[in-house]
Amino acid sequence: MVEAYSAMNLFLDFSVIGILILGIWLFHWPHRAKFGNLTAAFALACAAALVLYRSGTLYPGIVLISLVVGSAAGYWVAKKITMIQIPAMVAFQHGAGGIAAFCLSLAELMRGSQHLGMVNEISGLLGLAIGSLTFSGSMIAGGKLSNKLGQTPRILPKHTWLVMINLAAIIALIIASVYAPMGSRIFLYISIILLSILFGIIFSIRIGGADMPVLISFLNATAGVAAAFCGMIIENKLLISCGATVAASGSILTHVMCRAMNRSLFRVFVPVEGSLNKPAVKNEQTQIEDPVEKKILHQPVEKNKFQTAVEIARKASKIIIVPGYGMAVAQAQFEVIDFSNKMLSMGKDVKFAIHPVAGRMPGHMNVLLAEAGVDYDMLEEMDDINPEFKDTDLTLVIGACDVVNPAAIETDGSPISGMPILLAHESKHVVCCNLDEKPGYSGVENPLYQNNNTVLLLGNAKETLRQLLENLSETNPAIEESSIQDNPKGHLDSAITALSSAKKIIIIPGYGMALAQAQFKVVELASILESMGAQVKFAIHPVAGRMPGHMNVLLAEAEIDYDKLYEMDEINPEFSQTDAVLIFGACDVVNPAAIDTEGTPISGMPILLAHDAKKVIVCNFDANPGYSGVENTLYENPKTIMLLNDAAATATDLIDALKKIKLTLPGQE
């Protein structure tokens, strides 16, 4: 019975740890991070419940009240906090973990050493010290991140010596506490607490600028270490494991942040004292050869800056957006997404470049953009996106400075020297939507602002982007109105790009395919896409065509594999995970107005949820309403690419282009 009970406890422990590790593992993917966070929280809740169940409590009412009060406080904070306050809240949470470890360690140590072994007692003393310094260090970090304290590094005279002497004193007091009589230990404990709090303060105040994400991730690790030591003092394996897991993940994140900045952890925490920020060297760019664009760029920015930026944006085919902390301060992430959608609707290639230390904590930009509903496939890490800048027509910088500052690679002796940056200055044009021209968090002047290919749109980023969008809508409206018919090649190129990179594709046939007798070309197109590695399915609406089973008969004539045909109810849940939807001659059966608008002939009619896909390519004869006469709102969706022509001709164009791409793939002839 005892062995069975032990085996069950071991199984439960490993289950909780496994769920926790799964939650952390899910953080690798932005679209799974929210679920990963909930999974990890569930694991920790289960761990707490197991500890309470196994240990028993003398006062369960107090525990229950504490849980209710703590949960209510957490819920209130979560509802009140804004995205700009997230970094400071994360620092506060690390501090809360540290103070919890401190309280538990102190309570166990005050019970007396007679119930503790040597390892347990040392663990308690370490938990006391690390918990205290984590708390004070996190409060300093939170104060800096919330602008309650000065954000720049504060270097005291002989700062490194102060840190080392403080650390040595803490170690000496810990050793003394092990051997001192019980009656005098309380004074040693108080001394350890005070010196550890002081250590956390002087350790953290010298960190600032681009090093703040490193400090945040490091405090995450120390909070986990403190929790693990608490687990050792009370001999709770589950707490040891969970604390060690958090410590390991925080340590890995710290290493990643340091690598992103191309500097060692030691140099981050022990910077060279007395170093001065040297003035950045102006980076002279090659003069622009296009005389029209040269004329645009050399117009006075004060009078024509928005017109200049709009004209550049309209001409650009490839755009990279670089978000920074200024975007968070202005809460401009929604306007940024509106701009990207506007560019996509104009047939342009748009990507987001994410620097590892952009913002004030790891993943800050990802969180903000996720809040605004960004397509995760558009987010690119620094190492992946940097080679693309030189072929980019426009880089739009939103509230970023240090992460695009060429001084990091051109100037020695500054706080950001040697830090890898996003190579925005290599783009053909750069538009900076920043509040002002002042240096970033590091205090280093940014020569990018002085480059010939840079246009500065100074002011609140949200208002700047709104004005930019208004100018895009108002300037040359004829271009926007006729872009579908007048620029078919641009849209065809966008469609080919989307299809060639798609892994999952759904084809929706309609009556227009029947009129164009395009079924053979559509099936051939599907075959080519499959040969390029894509998974292709056909979505059949019950009333597509002019009779039941109309699409099935047409596709059967083209010798389609019946296993690829899916009915509406079966295929609809898959659209949200689909990279591209190809619509051939269908309108009403994919019209979102059926579920969004009341009082129309198709209101309430179930439709194929093509609008949920990441990209929609419409191969219709024109953009007129379907058989019902209801305008199709899908055509106005920013992620929709319109290829207006005879469906068979459009399919032929796509086939020819994809065949050329296929020949360039490895293993193809």
Side-chain angles (χ1 to χ4, degrees):
M1 180 66 71
V2 175
E3 291 180 357
Y5 180 76
S6 299
M8 178 57 70
N9 281 338
L10 192 63
F11 171 76
L12 291 174
D13 288 348
F14 276 111
S15 297
V16 169
I17 296 168
I19 296 172
L20 177 61
I21 293 174
L22 174 63
I24 295 174
W25 180 68
L26 290 172
F27 292 168
H28 281 81
W29 300 275
H31 61 286
R32 297 176 182 170
K34 183 177 180 180
F35 180 70
N37 193 36
L38 294 173
T39 302
F42 174 73
L44 294 176
C46 290
L50 277 175
V51 171
L52 290 174
Y53 173 74
R54 292 172 181 171
S55 304
T57 56
L58 293 175
Y59 305 101
I62 295 177
V63 173
L64 182 61
I65 292 172
S66 300
L67 287 172
V68 172
V69 172
S71 299
Y75 179 80
W76 181 81
V77 170
K79 294 293 289 184
K80 295 287 289 184
I81 208 76
T82 62
M83 293 305 298
I84 187 61
Q85 297 169 313
I86 286 291
M89 188 188 74
V90 170
F92 177 81
Q93 289 175 334
H94 294 160
I99 202 69
F102 154 78
C103 291
L104 179 56
S105 298
L106 183 61
E108 289 297 316
L109 290 169
M110 292 300 294
R111 288 174 60 191
S113 60
Q114 60 273 12
H115 77 287
L116 296 174
M118 178 65 75
V119 173
N120 305 75
E121 188 173 2
I122 293 174
S123 299
L125 291 166
L126 290 172
L128 190 70
I130 297 174
S132 300
L133 68 88
T134 299
F135 170 72
S136 60
S138 298
M139 294 304 102
I140 294 296
K144 283 176 173 283
L145 294 168
S146 60
N147 296 321
K148 298 294 190 297
L149 299 175
Q151 299 182 19
T152 56
R154 300 293 296 273
I155 308 296
L156 302 175
K158 304 296 181 183
H159 203 128
T160 300
W161 282 105
L162 290 175
V163 173
M164 299 304 295
I165 292 170
N166 195 323
L167 179 61
I170 293 172
I171 295 173
L173 287 171
I174 290 174
I175 295 173
S177 298
V178 176
Y179 298 102
M182 188 62 203
S184 62
R185 290 188 180 184
I186 181 63
F187 302 105
L188 293 173
Y189 295 160
I190 293 174
S191 299
I192 292 172
I193 293 169
L194 293 176
L195 283 176
S196 297
I197 291 174
L198 179 61
F199 180 87
I201 293 172
I202 63 176
F203 179 82
S204 298
I205 61 171
R206 75 190 306 179
I207 308 299
D211 295 332
M212 284 304 292
V214 178
L215 178 62
I216 292 296
S217 55
F218 181 78
L219 291 170
N220 180 24
T222 60
V225 171
F229 279 126
C230 284
M232 293 178 69
I233 191 175
I234 64 175
E235 297 183 345
N236 186 292
K237 298 182 181 64
L238 199 54
L239 183 54
I240 295 171
S241 301
C242 291
T245 303
V246 173
S249 63
S251 300
I252 293 170
L253 188 57
T254 303
H255 171 71
V256 170
M257 292 295 103
C258 288
R259 188 176 61 183
M261 297 172 62
N262 194 30
R263 64 185 70 193
S264 67
L265 183 63
F266 177 79
R267 188 50 62 203
V268 170
F269 291 139
V270 188
V272 178
E273 296 181 21
S275 62
L276 298 174
N277 294 351
K278 298 182 179 179
V281 180
K282 183 177 178 181
N283 181 25
E284 296 294 341
Q285 293 287 322
T286 304
Q287 296 296 318
I288 298 171
E289 297 179 0
D290 186 341
V292 176
E293 297 194 3
K294 183 183 288 187
K295 180 180 178 181
I296 292 171
L297 287 175
H298 288 122
Q299 289 174 344
V301 173
E302 290 76 9
K303 295 181 179 179
N304 303 296
K305 56 184 178 180
F306 284 103
Q307 181 182 355
T308 301
V310 166
E311 192 160 351
I312 292 172
R314 286 194 176 280
K315 286 187 175 184
S317 297
K318 184 174 182 178
I319 299 171
I320 295 178
I321 300 174
V322 179
Y325 185 64
M327 183 188 76
V329 173
Q331 298 183 34
Q333 58 269 32
F334 296 97
E335 283 70 23
V336 170
I337 298 303
D338 288 343
F339 176 84
S340 69
N341 288 339
K342 180 73 174 177
M343 295 295 98
L344 288 170
S345 70
M346 295 170 69
K348 303 179 187 300
D349 179 18
V350 181
K351 294 181 180 179
F352 288 82
I354 309 297
H355 193 283
V357 296
R360 293 296 179 265
M361 69 175 189
H364 197 181
M365 296 301 103
N366 302 70
V367 172
L368 287 169
L369 294 172
E371 180 193 24
V374 71
D375 184 344
Y376 299 118
D377 291 339
M378 296 170 67
L379 305 184
E380 300 284 346
E381 298 298 326
M382 178 176 64
D383 293 340
D384 296 328
I385 198 72
N386 263 348
E388 299 188 27
F389 278 105
K390 62 181 181 296
D391 300 316
T392 298
D393 301 305
L394 167 63
T395 293
L396 182 68
V397 179
I398 312 292
C401 182
D402 292 331
V403 298
V404 292
N405 191 341
I409 55 179
E410 297 172 354
T411 306
D412 295 329
S414 76
I416 60 173
S417 294
M419 182 183 84
I421 62 167
L422 292 164
L423 304 178
H425 58 280
E426 294 184 353
S427 304
K428 297 174 184 175
H429 303 288
V430 180
V431 174
C432 292
C433 301
N434 287 2
L435 183 64
D436 50 44
E437 295 182 69
K438 294 178 181 178
Y441 206 33
S442 68
V444 180
E445 294 285 346
N446 194 338
L448 175 69
Y449 300 156
Q450 307 303 321
N451 285 350
N452 291 330
N453 64 339
T454 299
V455 175
L456 285 174
L457 303 180
L458 301 182
N460 180 280
K462 177 183 286 190
E463 297 304 320
T464 299
L465 284 167
R466 284 178 178 172
Q467 190 172 349
L468 186 59
L469 283 167
E470 289 174 4
N471 277 264
L472 279 167
S473 299
E474 294 171 4
T475 307
N476 297 331
I479 295 176
E480 198 166 328
E481 292 174 2
S482 62
S483 60
I484 289 175
Q485 282 114 353
D486 294 347
N487 188 23
K489 187 179 185 305
H491 289 273
L492 182 64
D493 290 342
S494 298
I496 293 165
T497 300
L499 290 173
S500 61
S501 61
K503 299 300 181 184
K504 184 173 182 179
I505 300 170
I506 295 177
I507 298 176
I508 300 176
Y511 186 63
M513 184 187 77
L515 290 177
Q517 299 184 28
Q519 59 269 33
F520 298 96
K521 289 295 183 181
V522 170
V523 173
E524 182 183 354
L525 175 61
S527 177
I528 291 174
L529 290 169
E530 286 180 328
S531 69
M532 296 175 67
Q535 179 192 43
V536 181
K537 295 181 179 181
F538 285 78
I540 309 299
H541 193 283
V543 297
R546 292 296 180 266
M547 67 176 185
H550 195 179
M551 295 301 103
N552 302 68
V553 172
L554 287 171
L555 293 171
E557 180 186 16
E559 299 183 353
I560 189 70
D561 184 346
Y562 298 116
D563 292 337
K564 297 175 184 175
L565 305 185
Y566 290 81
E567 298 299 323
M568 178 177 65
D569 293 339
E570 187 179 4
I571 197 72
N572 263 349
E574 298 189 27
F575 279 104
S576 59
Q577 288 86 43
T578 298
D579 299 309
V581 169
L582 266 170
I583 299 173
F584 281 95
C587 183
D588 292 333
V589 298
V590 293
N591 191 345
I595 53 180
D596 296 337
T597 308
E598 296 180 359
T600 72
I602 60 172
S603 295
M605 181 184 83
I607 62 168
L608 292 164
L609 304 178
H611 57 279
D612 285 344
K614 297 174 183 176
K615 286 286 184 183
V616 180
I617 301 169
V618 177
C619 306
N620 285 5
F621 186 73
D622 51 41
N624 294 335
Y627 202 44
S628 68
V630 180
E631 294 285 344
N632 194 335
T633 56
L634 179 64
Y635 300 161
E636 304 300 324
N637 194 310
K639 58 187 174 183
T640 299
I641 300 171
M642 301 291 288
L643 303 179
L644 302 184
N645 197 357
D646 176 85
T650 301
T652 301
D653 291 341
L654 291 172
I655 290 169
D656 293 342
L658 289 171
K659 281 182 177 179
K660 293 178 182 178
I661 294 175
K662 182 182 175 183
L663 290 175
T664 65
L665 298 177
Q668 302 291 338
E669 295 182 359

